[in-house]
Amino acid sequence: MTADLWAPREEFEPDHEAFREAVRTFVSRHVAPNVEAWDDAGLVPREVWLEAGRQGFLGIGLAEEYGGGGTEDFRFRMVLIEELNKVAAASMAAGFAVHCDIVIPYLADLCTPEQAKRWLPDCATGEAIGAIAMTEPGAGSDLQGVRTAARRDGADWILSGSKTFITNGVHGDLVIVVARTDPDAGSRGFSLFVVERDMPGFTRGRKLGKIGLHGQDTAELSFDEVRVPADNLLGEPDAGFRYLMERLPLERLTIAVNACAAARAALAWTLEYTTGRTAFGKRVADFQNSSFALAECVTELDVGQVFVEACVRRWNNRTLDAVTAAKAKLWCTQMHKRVVDECLQLFGGYGYMSEYPIARAYTDARVTTIFGGTSEIMKVIIARDLIGR
């Protein structure tokens, strides 16, 4: 009998496992049968977002007064991430991560009471899908290169510029836009604005073609003299860079959690394949090369999983720092790439066929060492902490 890579882990308590059963029902009914069609269409339908909202999966960390689950225990998000990756729904997992772990926390932390009442209930139900617009054609990891700018016009702001590689860019109803508001203040001259779907001057460019995450709507966004009401400024003016830095640990933790879940899924598919397929009269898994490769993969995964779960506990205790989150993202995303590559090799020619989940997982994995801060940026953060600037 082969190992069950999805066996219950000590990290989870009965409430998490009960939640997992509800997620599994949702995934089996609404997600698993449609993953390939969504990849072909380049989009996860809004109806599925609404169903996830009805099930309470989008606002887990939101206060109950806004329709949320009222718990900030990130292990519930881990459950959802794992169950989506188990059925190769990496595109949905990525879209949900931006909405649930970036946009909603920004709004929950920085909104005024009036803004919270306007936006958060619809975020919990899926009626408003969130996106965050940081990256520009000429500015990726280095936010100092951001050219999108907003200037005062009476009580309002006039926003102009363009963004690219925006996750949920097609569906996005509420887009948190990073813009320069004081050109002479360096990193202290950025602000965050919530741009709503129908604001005049806000347009979406082409849906971008990617080598992976085909079902995730990634788009270019343009802002042509968009009049943004003062009530749509998020937080204090010129405090945007600080807000971004304060919230990067959760984004990077989410990516690390997802990397472990995706690697586990790939390894589970490979274990099933290699123990069920024979060559030269014995199971593929019984060849020494195959068994050693599987052993290395599961060891790397388990090492990463233990560290990630420790980071989740620290997040729940509000003690997760930026350096530790960078270490988790660096290790887990690199591990994810190695594991999926090794697993695809064990599938042989079938691993190169897009009808197999392992093939899609291979291309989906490639971006994880890039978005949320590249591996090179993670190394800079870690090295500065270790040896000083």
Side-chain angles (χ1 to χ4, degrees):
M1 179 179 293
T2 60
D4 179 8
L5 296 181
W6 295 108
R9 304 197 301 278
E10 292 182 0
E11 187 67 18
F12 296 108
E13 298 173 11
D15 284 352
H16 304 109
E17 296 302 340
F19 179 73
R20 188 184 298 278
E21 288 304 313
V23 172
R24 281 177 176 165
T25 299
F26 164 76
V27 168
S28 66
R29 290 178 180 174
H30 302 284
V31 181
N34 302 306
V35 169
E36 291 186 40
W38 296 342
D39 278 355
D40 291 342
L43 202 67
V44 175
R46 294 186 72 98
E47 291 77 12
V48 184
W49 283 82
L50 293 170
E51 181 60 33
R54 284 190 286 270
Q55 298 287 336
F57 299 150
L58 299 181
I60 296 169
L62 272 179
E64 293 181 5
E65 65 181 296
Y66 302 120
T71 176
E72 296 184 3
D73 183 350
F74 195 75
R75 288 175 293 178
F76 288 101
R77 278 286 296 132
M78 285 182 73
V79 167
L80 184 57
I81 290 168
E82 289 181 352
E83 294 302 317
L84 289 175
N85 275 284
K86 191 185 294 187
V87 299
S91 294
M92 173 178 271
F96 278 16
V98 168
H99 180 80
C100 299
D101 304 328
I102 300 178
V103 174
I104 286 180
Y106 270 81
L107 297 178
D109 292 347
L110 301 175
C111 275
T112 65
E114 292 75 19
Q115 289 173 328
K117 291 176 184 176
R118 283 171 57 198
W119 294 325
L120 289 177
D122 285 347
C123 287
T125 62
E127 293 174 81
I129 296 174
I132 186 163
M134 288 189 280
T135 304
E136 298 185 2
S141 297
D142 181 13
L143 289 176
Q144 298 295 334
V146 166
R147 297 188 176 215
T148 297
R151 68 179 190 275
R152 288 272 194 181
D153 185 41
D156 299 337
W157 296 83
I158 305 299
L159 177 70
S160 294
S162 61
K163 302 289 184 176
T164 193
F165 308 148
I166 306 305
T167 300
N168 298 340
V170 175
H171 276 328
D173 303 292
L174 301 173
V175 182
I176 299 174
V177 179
V178 180
R180 190 178 290 277
T181 44
D182 186 343
D184 301 318
S187 63
R188 297 182 181 179
F190 294 100
S191 301
L192 305 182
F193 298 92
V194 178
V195 176
E196 300 181 58
R197 169 172 286 278
D198 296 324
M199 286 185 171
F202 171 35
T203 57
R204 299 159 210 269
R206 60 195 178 99
K207 182 169 59 178
L208 300 172
K210 311 184 295 295
I211 65 170
L213 295 179
H214 291 150
Q216 204 294 304
D217 59 306
T218 307
E220 298 171 326
L221 305 180
S222 295
F223 309 93
D224 183 11
E225 297 284 291
V226 178
R227 180 170 291 276
V228 181
D231 288 344
N232 282 43
L233 175 70
L234 189 60
E236 296 296 322
D238 301 329
F241 188 79
R242 173 168 57 86
Y243 295 148
L244 294 171
M245 294 303 103
E246 289 170 349
R247 284 153 188 82
L248 280 173
L250 177 57
E251 178 181 359
R252 289 166 179 166
L253 175 62
T254 300
I255 294 170
V257 168
N258 190 82
C260 285
R264 186 174 301 277
L267 188 55
W269 301 328
T270 307
L271 188 61
E272 180 182 13
Y273 179 82
T274 56
T275 56
R277 183 172 176 82
T278 59
F280 303 103
K282 61 181 180 180
R283 301 184 308 174
V284 171
D286 291 329
F287 288 94
Q288 186 181 70
N289 178 73
S290 302
S291 63
F292 279 13
L294 292 167
E296 290 173 355
C297 286
V298 77
T299 300
E300 286 202 52
L301 171 60
D302 284 351
V303 168
Q305 189 75 59
V306 169
F307 184 55
V308 160
E309 290 176 356
C311 289
V312 169
R313 290 192 293 273
R314 290 180 65 171
W315 171 258
N316 285 346
N317 294 331
R318 293 295 179 263
T319 59
L320 180 65
D321 60 275
V323 175
T324 304
K327 291 175 181 176
K329 183 189 185 294
L330 174 64
W331 169 263
C332 293
T333 56
Q334 297 282 9
M335 174 275 295
H336 178 201
K337 280 172 53 182
R338 290 192 297 269
V339 166
V340 174
D341 183 72
E342 194 67 65
C343 287
L344 186 147
Q345 185 72 20
L346 291 174
F347 272 80
Y350 288 106
Y352 205 64
M353 299 297 105
S354 59
E355 65 195 82
Y356 279 71
I358 191 66
R360 299 197 302 276
Y362 178 79
T363 54
D364 290 345
R366 188 59 187 87
V367 74
T368 61
T369 58
I370 298 173
F371 64 15
T374 64
S375 292
E376 291 73 25
I377 293 295
M378 298 305 100
K379 291 175 185 178
V380 169
I381 294 168
I382 297 163
R384 283 178 176 172
D385 179 70
L386 184 64
I387 63 175
R389 292 180 181 269

